[in-house]
């Protein structure tokens, strides 16, 4: 018997439960950031279809911006492909300093630190600031990178019911004598699209002497006068100890940042293993992100267009009879329930020219499989109207709507 036979059996079990995943090839549609090409099978880009992309995170439609492409091309020709070492060796190129200074100014904080991606930022930061004798209070719907960071840190994880401040308060009281206490939350939750009660979290943080870390992955670029995020939009950014965000959503690029006090950033440079033991990011990518930072702050019309589209799309789905959660983020989920129906819903939408992926456990809780729509400033009013009509038709066809 093969030593990997157990893998075959587990994959078969996943398939039976409509939970097996596979990779599908896709590519950009030139000059159309709201669309994508997708092949008809796994990694198959033959017979590809041009689809309206309602599953991506390019919230401001910057992924194909000519200014970003041009500056990356220039730096690529000058600096080459890779940095060639970790930042603490010889990989800390000037582009890092310039980008981090720009982030600090944008966020009105003392210092900032760039990580390779959001997963490495969350796991690196959490593992650095808490350990075996500490406790982390984590919202039940926090992103997997937060959960994994807590597990890696070996701190005790106290999960509180989603956005339930009474439950969090009880847990904080229970652990009030612990050495270090960290509250960590998404600002906008990635699968539901709703917001964390940041003002109430800050009150509890002060009451129990805890640190507060906020993940702005899905709110950076989307909220705030210049896209600074939800903490700025609510006027509470100075009360957040550790502010994390990404460049892979509204910035249309790749990477992540952490900002806060100079002490925090100096500490992370010395303690965050995901930074210390990773090769530095390519200089051309850093330059592209820096250009995106300028666009996020200057092109306010992108946020305005995005939020106009969100309001119209949500209104159309609600009029059709879909029950939507409260929120105004680009993330608009329709809860289907069972995995098989969610897959059929996704396939039916693709037949209508729409890429809308079924999200299933363990990404979401059992029994809450869904279609998670993600809107972009790149989507036209006509495209969103067509999408809303198509979603209603599929909902009726599959019995999701009565």
């Amino acid at each position: 018997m093969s030593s990997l036979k157990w893998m075959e059996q587990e994959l078969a079990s996943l398939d039976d439960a409509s939970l097996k995943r596979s990779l599908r090839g896709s590519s950009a549609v030139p000059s159309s950031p709201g669309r994508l090409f997708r092949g008809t099978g796994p990694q198959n880009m033959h017979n590809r279809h041009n689809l309206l992309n309602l599953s991506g995170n390019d919230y401001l439609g910057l992924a194909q911006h000519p200014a970003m492409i041009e500056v990356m091309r220039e730096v690529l020709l000058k600096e080459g492909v890779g940095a060639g070492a970790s930042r603490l060796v010889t990989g800390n190129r000037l582009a890092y300093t310039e980008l981090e200074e720009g982030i600090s100014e944008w966020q009105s904080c003392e210092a900032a630190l760039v990580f390779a991606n959001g997963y490495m930022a969350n796991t690196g930061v959490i593992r650095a600031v808490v350990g075996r004798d500490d406790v982390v209070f984590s919202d039940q719907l926090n992103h997997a990178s937060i959960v994994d960071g807590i597990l890696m840190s070996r701190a005790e994880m106290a999960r509180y019911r989603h956005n339930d401040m009474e439950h969090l308060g009880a847990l904080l009281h229970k652990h009030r004598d612990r050495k270090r206490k960290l509250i960590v939350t998404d600002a906008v939750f990635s699968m539901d699209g709703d917001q964390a009660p940041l003002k109430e979290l800050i009150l509890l943080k002060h009451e129990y002497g805890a640190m507060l870390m906020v993940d702005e992955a899905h709110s950076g670029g989307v909220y705030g006068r210049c896209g600074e995020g939800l903490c700025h939009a609510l006027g509470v950014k100075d009360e957040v100890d550790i502010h994390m965000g990404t460049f892979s959503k509204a910035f249309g690029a790749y990477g992540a940042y952490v900002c806060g006090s100079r002490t925090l950033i100096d500490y992370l440079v010395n303690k965050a293993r995901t930074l210390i033991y990773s090769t530095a990011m390519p200089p051309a990518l850093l330059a592209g992100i820096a250009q995106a930072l300028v666009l996020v702050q200057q092109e306010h019309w992108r946020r305005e267009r995005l939020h106009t589209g969100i309001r119209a799309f949500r209104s159309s789905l609600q009029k059709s009879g879909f029950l939507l959660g409260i929120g105004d983020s680009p993330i608009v989920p329709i809860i289907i329930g069972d995995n098989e129906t969610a897959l059929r819903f996704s396939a039916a939408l693709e037949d209508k020219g729409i890429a809308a992926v079924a999200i299933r456990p363990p990404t979401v809780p059992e029994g809450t499989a869904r279609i998670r729509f993600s809107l972009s400033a790149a989507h036209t009013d006509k495209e969103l109207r067509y999408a809303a009509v198509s979603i209603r038709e599929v909902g009726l066809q599959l019995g999701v709507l009565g």
Side-chain angles (χ1 to χ4, degrees):
M1 181 178 179
S2 167
S3 60
L4 301 183
K5 185 70 175 178
W6 64 273
M7 291 186 184
E8 295 178 10
Q9 295 168 345
E10 186 160 335
L11 286 169
S13 297
L14 289 173
D15 202 14
D16 290 341
S18 298
L19 289 173
K20 186 179 178 182
R21 272 83 167 168
S22 60
L23 296 173
R24 292 189 61 189
S26 63
S27 64
V29 178
S31 302
S32 298
R35 307 189 69 84
L36 59 79
F37 285 124
R38 185 166 238 182
T40 55
Q43 300 293 15
N44 178 12
M45 286 309 293
H46 300 293
N47 302 317
R48 62 185 186 173
H49 302 303
N50 185 327
L51 304 175
L52 176 63
N53 184 6
L54 287 182
S55 279
N57 294 325
D58 185 17
Y59 297 140
L60 297 183
L62 292 176
Q64 297 184 42
H65 198 289
M68 291 171 62
I69 294 171
E70 179 59 23
V71 73
M72 291 181 71
R73 186 188 70 82
E74 292 175 359
V75 175
L76 179 65
L77 293 174
K78 179 181 177 181
E79 297 278 354
V81 175
S86 67
R87 292 189 68 179
L88 288 172
V89 182
T90 61
N92 194 44
R93 303 292 181 86
L94 178 60
Y96 266 115
T97 301
E98 294 173 345
L99 176 57
E100 287 166 349
E101 287 177 351
I103 294 167
S104 298
E105 183 177 350
W106 173 54
Q107 289 292 325
S108 301
C109 62
E110 290 181 6
L113 189 63
V114 170
F115 286 76
N117 55 51
Y119 188 94
M120 295 179 75
N122 278 338
T123 55
V125 169
I126 294 171
R127 186 176 181 178
V129 301
V130 291
R132 195 184 298 274
D133 297 325
D134 306 321
V135 59
V136 182
F137 304 88
S138 176
D139 190 288
Q140 219 163 18
L141 296 187
N142 274 342
H143 190 265
S145 59
I146 293 173
V147 176
D148 288 357
I150 299 168
L151 294 174
M152 291 178 189
S153 75
R154 300 187 181 181
E156 181 175 347
M157 176 162 52
R159 300 183 78 180
Y160 60 92
R161 290 184 292 271
H162 179 52
N163 280 348
D164 187 334
M165 296 299 97
E166 185 176 346
H167 188 209
L168 173 58
L171 290 172
L172 282 161
H173 183 76
K174 176 183 176 181
H175 296 284
R176 60 190 179 279
D177 296 326
R178 296 296 283 271
K179 181 182 177 183
R180 294 192 192 112
K181 297 177 286 292
L182 172 67
I183 303 169
V184 59
T185 184
D186 287 342
V188 168
F189 292 88
S190 60
M191 292 298 123
D192 289 69
D194 57 339
Q195 298 178 2
L198 294 178
K199 292 183 178 180
E200 295 164 71
L201 285 167
I202 287 166
L203 291 175
L204 286 171
K205 164 205 152 168
H206 286 304
E207 182 177 353
Y208 289 96
M211 297 176 286
L212 176 62
M213 176 176 176
V214 177
D215 179 338
E216 294 251 32
H218 293 276
S219 49
V222 175
Y223 299 96
R225 188 177 66 85
C226 291
E228 302 95 334
L230 189 62
C231 293
H232 278 73
L234 297 178
V236 299
K237 72 95 182 171
D238 290 335
E239 303 293 337
V240 176
D241 300 287
I242 306 170
H243 191 113
M244 175 269 185
T246 64
F247 304 121
S248 55
K249 277 75 177 179
F251 280 67
Y254 184 78
Y257 66 88
V258 174
C259 61
S261 68
R262 168 53 64 186
T263 298
L264 169 69
I265 299 307
D266 288 346
Y267 182 83
L268 293 177
V269 168
N270 285 273
K271 295 290 186 176
R273 293 169 68 87
T274 55
L275 176 90
I276 296 167
Y277 299 110
S278 292
T279 298
M281 292 167 66
L285 175 57
L286 295 168
I289 296 169
Q291 181 61 54
L293 179 58
V294 173
L295 296 169
V296 164
Q297 294 177 81
Q298 292 183 351
E299 298 192 347
H300 303 285
W301 64 267
R302 293 181 180 272
R303 269 181 297 284
E304 295 168 4
R305 183 184 182 92
L306 173 63
H307 285 288
T308 297
I310 292 168
R311 288 190 293 270
F313 185 72
R314 288 180 61 91
S315 176
S316 294
L317 294 186
Q318 287 171 330
K319 287 177 182 177
S320 293
F322 289 105
L323 296 177
L324 306 179
I326 297 173
D328 62 354
S329 80
I331 300 165
V332 184
I334 291 178
I335 309 300
I336 305 298
D338 70 280
N339 304 325
E340 177 60 29
T341 303
L343 289 171
R344 290 171 58 204
F345 204 115
S346 176
L349 285 176
E350 185 160 333
D351 288 341
K352 292 179 176 290
I354 298 170
V357 176
I359 306 296
R360 296 159 287 159
T363 306
V364 294
E366 291 286 345
T368 69
R370 66 197 64 188
I371 305 296
R372 173 189 178 273
F373 299 103
S374 296
L375 273 61
S376 169
H379 295 139
T380 66
D381 295 342
K382 182 178 179 181
E383 287 173 331
L384 292 179
R385 285 195 297 270
Y386 172 76
V389 170
S390 299
I391 293 163
R392 180 178 184 276
E393 291 173 351
V394 173
L396 291 169
Q397 173 191 331
L398 296 181
V400 174
L401 288 175

